[in-house]
Amino acid sequence: MNILFASSEVAPFAKTGGLGDVGAALPRALATAGHDVRVVLPMYSRVHAAGRTFTEVVPELWLQLGDVKVRTSVYEGALPGTKVPVYFVRCPGLYDRPSLYGSGGDEHLRFAVLNWVALELCQRLRFAPDVIHCNDWQTALIPLLLRARFSWDRLFSGTRTVLTIHNLGHQGTFPASVMPQTGLADSWYLFHQDELRAGRLGFLMTGLLYANAITTVSPTYAREIQTREQGVGLDHVLRQRADVLTGILNGIDEDEWNPATDKHLPANFSAEALAGKEACKRALCESARLPYRREVPVFSLVARLVWQKGIDLVQSVLPNLLRHHRFQLVVLGKGEHKYEEFFRLLQRAFPQKVHYDARFSEPRAHLVEAGSDVFLMPSRYEPCGLNQMYSLRYGTVPVVHKTGGLADTVWQYQPATGRGTGFVFDHFDEAGLSWAIRRALDVWGSGAAEYRARWEALQRAGMQLPLGWKHRVGRYVEVYERARAR
Ligand code: ADP
């Protein structure tokens, strides 16, 4: 199949979270499965700031969106280690900013441009996609654009659209007055009329109405988002489209995240040979200036520090637990000021036990995953979550809230049978998280030999799970094929 994959994030070029990982790994897996897949994303300043060079393939492409005339051009590179073409939409006025999102009040325009250029690019290249795979609100206008503005072109006669929801919390909802700058003012009647009457225009909402198929990143999340409680105002649309909505668990990139070959680690390890993990723990403690003790478990947390990730629960339970139990905590993450401040204070209060690093650092994330014993992921909601899967792969036992993809990837550990891969709490409250952390500490025990054997069996159970994209990519191909047959 010819597949155009449109995304606002593609690692390593541009990533703020899991979307960036998926934006690289899924196209890579599709290419390995023999499809002609091409990727399109904006050329943010960080893309070219890294000293990479690209070939110009479209020198000049003008768009008139309402009263705004935008000049763009397109450059081509490749996904590292592959021949998968990556097209970068260059438009310095819109994309040359320090952060990927949210600085300038023109988000609707920035991503409307991406949607338009994705389709015009296909025309310039004479690339006839069987499927355009859109991701989140930033590329969710493509299904409507295709129908309202590009359907005259026979190039697209066989094109179907698939829209993946990576996080329903981000919907790209703007005042209805931005409509001219989407370039779709003539097609105003095709937008959701109740929304327009309420003065809103939602990119994601529009995509959900017109995509030929909708996917989201775990089966549990696919069910949750159809409920009023977790539908973030879009549950009614999702229920209407339930017949084309599928939950497909994300995979992990097993080349990037493989403890046996990971280049960011001081020592490698695997389920069969765990010794290297201890060397990683020592290195992590040293780099965090925490005393290293084999028998003291190191907990970790790597996340965007935002409300979704349940940091407020961590804030409520950790000081007390740190006071009364023997464990250490390493945190890597940036986000809301109040959470960053909390971890700074926690480190000050427990200098021998807590280390906080307020950076976004890919190499550091690998070392933290490898060198810690228990990973905290108490998300309030979690569409899929990748970090708990990286943890499983790295023998770092996850503590998770039973929600979304966390519920689909981590199974409650049962000491009596030895089954399970982590510690799962059902109710999102202090008692729940605190219970799960204490369970982890109990199973870790004194760190003596008999406890250690049990812990290693638990680690191995997680490390041996089939988590790679090669186990998932077939499900996407099924969705593409069903969309084409429709
Ligand atoms: P989300 O997409 O909601 O942020 P995921 O668990 O799906 O959550 O993916 C998060 C991704 O972002 C992982 O690859 C994780 O390692 C990475 N990440 C988050 N914060 C940091 C950080 N401070 N430094 C490095 N990587 C980070």
Side-chain angles (χ1 to χ4, degrees):
M1 268 183 270
N2 288 348
I3 302 159
L4 182 73
F5 192 92
S7 177
S8 61
E9 296 188 25
V10 177
F13 305 111
K15 162 175 165 179
T16 66
L19 174 60
D21 291 340
V22 176
L26 177 53
R28 198 174 274 146
L30 287 164
T32 306
H35 301 285
D36 182 349
V37 53
R38 307 179 184 202
V39 179
V40 58
L41 83 156
M43 186 176 281
Y44 306 103
S45 38
R46 70 180 62 176
V47 173
H48 55 83
R52 303 180 177 105
T53 51
F54 305 108
T55 316
E56 192 177 57
V57 285
V58 180
E60 207 170 14
L61 197 160
W62 288 90
L63 296 172
Q64 179 78 47
L65 301 180
D67 54 351
V68 190
K69 197 164 182 185
V70 184
R71 185 196 163 166
T72 69
S73 52
V74 182
Y75 287 72
E76 181 178 341
L79 272 186
T82 72
K83 292 201 172 72
V84 175
V86 181
Y87 300 109
F88 297 94
V89 181
R90 182 159 160 76
C91 181
L94 294 177
Y95 302 133
D96 265 7
R97 308 210 178 146
S99 57
L100 296 195
Y101 306 121
S103 55
D106 54 358
E107 288 295 87
H108 64 283
L109 185 62
R110 299 176 77 215
F111 292 105
V113 165
L114 175 64
N115 287 242
W116 274 90
V117 174
L119 292 168
E120 298 227 358
L121 176 65
C122 292
Q123 293 177 316
R124 300 284 179 108
L125 300 172
R126 303 308 301 156
F127 178 69
D130 296 300
V131 171
I132 302 182
H133 190 149
C134 313
N135 294 277
D136 277 351
W137 74 264
Q138 291 89 349
T139 48
L141 281 190
I142 289 177
L144 176 56
L145 269 182
L146 189 61
R147 174 178 166 149
R149 286 289 180 285
F150 288 83
S151 58
W152 60 269
D153 190 340
R154 288 180 55 190
L155 186 77
F156 296 113
S157 59
T159 303
R160 296 292 178 273
T161 51
V162 175
L163 171 60
T164 297
I165 303 166
H166 296 264
N167 191 335
L168 196 65
H170 305 294
Q171 300 184 357
T173 304
F174 301 98
S177 56
V178 308
M179 185 183 296
Q181 294 188 354
T182 64
L184 279 161
D186 298 351
S187 307
W188 62 270
Y189 54 88
L190 293 172
F191 286 89
H192 197 288
Q193 297 299 294
D194 291 345
E195 285 292 295
L196 284 189
R197 272 192 288 275
R200 293 188 296 264
L201 185 156
F203 278 44
L204 186 64
M205 160 80 94
T206 307
L208 295 178
L209 295 177
Y210 292 104
N212 298 111
I214 301 166
T215 72
T216 189
V217 289
S218 69
T220 297
Y221 195 59
R223 285 191 298 277
E224 289 171 349
I225 57 179
Q226 294 181 58
T227 65
R228 189 181 290 268
E229 297 71 38
Q230 295 187 70
V232 205
L234 290 179
D235 46 293
H236 60 294
V237 182
L238 290 161
R239 282 195 300 274
Q240 276 164 17
R241 303 229 58 207
D243 56 329
V244 298
L245 169 62
T246 317
I248 305 175
L249 211 50
N250 279 337
I252 65 173
D253 186 326
E254 290 182 309
D255 296 327
E256 270 301 301
W257 291 92
N258 180 352
T261 54
D262 193 325
K263 294 182 296 294
H264 300 297
L265 306 182
N268 292 113
F269 58 95
S270 63
E272 297 72 39
L274 270 169
K277 185 167 171 75
E278 205 53 44
C280 293
K281 178 169 171 175
R282 182 188 285 273
L284 177 64
C285 288
E286 277 168 9
S287 70
R289 294 180 300 282
L290 293 175
Y292 161 76
R293 285 197 203 93
R294 187 185 163 112
E295 70 285 1
V296 176
V298 174
F299 284 54
S300 63
L301 190 153
V302 179
R304 294 180 295 118
L305 301 182
V306 294
W307 178 84
Q308 181 206 334
K309 299 294 177 183
I311 310 298
D312 43 335
L313 275 195
V314 173
Q315 205 166 345
S316 306
V317 307
L318 269 186
N320 204 24
L321 288 168
L322 280 162
R323 212 167 289 130
H324 295 108
H325 297 273
R326 224 157 66 115
F327 69 98
Q328 295 172 328
L329 174 72
V330 176
V331 176
L332 172 66
K334 281 164 64 133
E336 288 178 35
H337 177 74
K338 62 179 181 191
Y339 298 133
E340 293 190 356
E341 210 41 42
F342 162 70
F343 284 119
R344 279 194 196 99
L345 288 174
L346 198 67
Q347 169 169 323
R348 221 169 291 152
F350 299 94
Q352 297 289 304
K353 289 187 158 186
V354 175
H355 180 264
Y356 171 47
D357 190 341
R359 286 179 304 154
F360 189 97
S361 162
E362 196 81 37
R364 179 91 189 149
H366 285 248
L367 180 63
V368 174
E369 287 284 6
S372 52
D373 299 299
V374 179
F375 191 85
L376 296 179
M377 199 148 170
S379 308
R380 189 172 255 104
Y381 73 93
E382 192 58 77
C384 178
L386 292 171
N387 273 322
Q388 84 281 12
M389 293 197 267
Y390 299 152
S391 303
L392 289 165
R393 194 86 178 83
Y394 280 62
T396 304
V397 181
V399 166
V400 302
H401 174 214
K402 189 172 185 180
T403 184
L406 299 174
D408 293 338
T409 51
V410 183
W411 311 110
Q412 188 71 274
Y413 177 64
Q414 312 282 355
T417 59
R419 297 175 78 149
T421 53
F423 302 96
V424 184
F425 61 100
D426 287 7
H427 299 288
F428 184 82
D429 54 26
E430 292 167 23
L433 174 59
S434 167
W435 171 84
I437 292 177
R438 276 189 274 106
R439 291 271 304 168
L441 289 167
D442 285 348
V443 174
W444 176 273
S446 64
E450 69 272 23
Y451 285 106
R452 184 155 281 271
R454 185 169 70 172
W455 190 265
E456 286 181 2
L458 169 56
Q459 289 177 299
R460 287 199 182 93
M463 296 178 85
Q464 285 160 349
L465 291 173
L467 299 173
W469 271 107
K470 61 176 180 285
H471 305 288
R472 318 276 197 245
V473 71
R475 297 290 317 281
Y476 276 99
V477 174
E478 278 166 30
V479 168
Y480 296 164
E481 277 168 355
R482 250 184 284 143
R484 288 176 71 201
R486 216 168 271 140

